[in-house]
Amino acid sequence: MSASDPSVSAAVQTARHREWDEHAPKLAQQALQQLVAPVRDLATDWHRLEVLRILHADTTERCRRLPLFADFDAVDPLAVREAAVRLSSDAQFHAFLLLEVWHRVLRDLRRLQLDLLGYPEPPGVHEGVAATQRRLQRQQRRRRLVTALPKPRRTDPAFEELFRPEVKGADIVEALQARDVLNAAGQWAGISGRKRELVALVMALSEGGYLATTNRTALARAFSARFGCSLSRSLAARWDLVPNDLVEQFRRWFPPRGRATKA
């Protein structure tokens, strides 16, 4: 059994105090983050609670198998730091330090479970403003560990990204401007002013092999944004409602996998 050694010098105790204060919280935080990293990807808080319960049980069992666990467990938690710095060997001190790290991990795992259940960390006796802020910060840090990350919002591809590598969007724009389908500012004028004409253009380009994507919603958004012509979702998706004569006009201008003509 480890015992306090009164012969441990003040210099050694000071160095151990510093190591304890610097490394115990840092290592505990790192271990906790690694342990619970997959938890945030679980489907619900119920699943997170169940996994945290299992992690707590497994970590408890792991701690019980560490060297000097019985000695560490017998010390008052408020006095364990002072007991550790007075141990007779560095090996014993580092065994206590490792146990302290896992003790903090276990405490935070339990606290995480309570947080998920809606039971916040209670304030301390005679807690001041600074202590309250630290408690709330701890709670926020813990919650971030198990809160699912927001899914990145899908963004529509840029206009040039819609086309195959061998096709230049600028050539398409130039050909449309040459036929006054686009005005000088590159905005949609159309042939007869019907919005279905823009859908007909997209259909002809898609059928002709000019486009790299077949996602109708993405195509409609990108073309309407580029040419300043708003399209409803239903109009963009219902290609079957576009008259074939409109599509045929654009097919003549943009033959299959050919370069847009200017004539």
Side-chain angles (χ1 to χ4, degrees), residues 1-2 66-73 87 91-93 95-96 99:
M1 179 175 179
S2 60
L66 290 174
L68 303 185
F69 171 77
D71 296 346
F72 178 89
D73 194 48
L87 291 171
Q92 290 177 329
F93 168 74
F96 263 51
L99 285 161

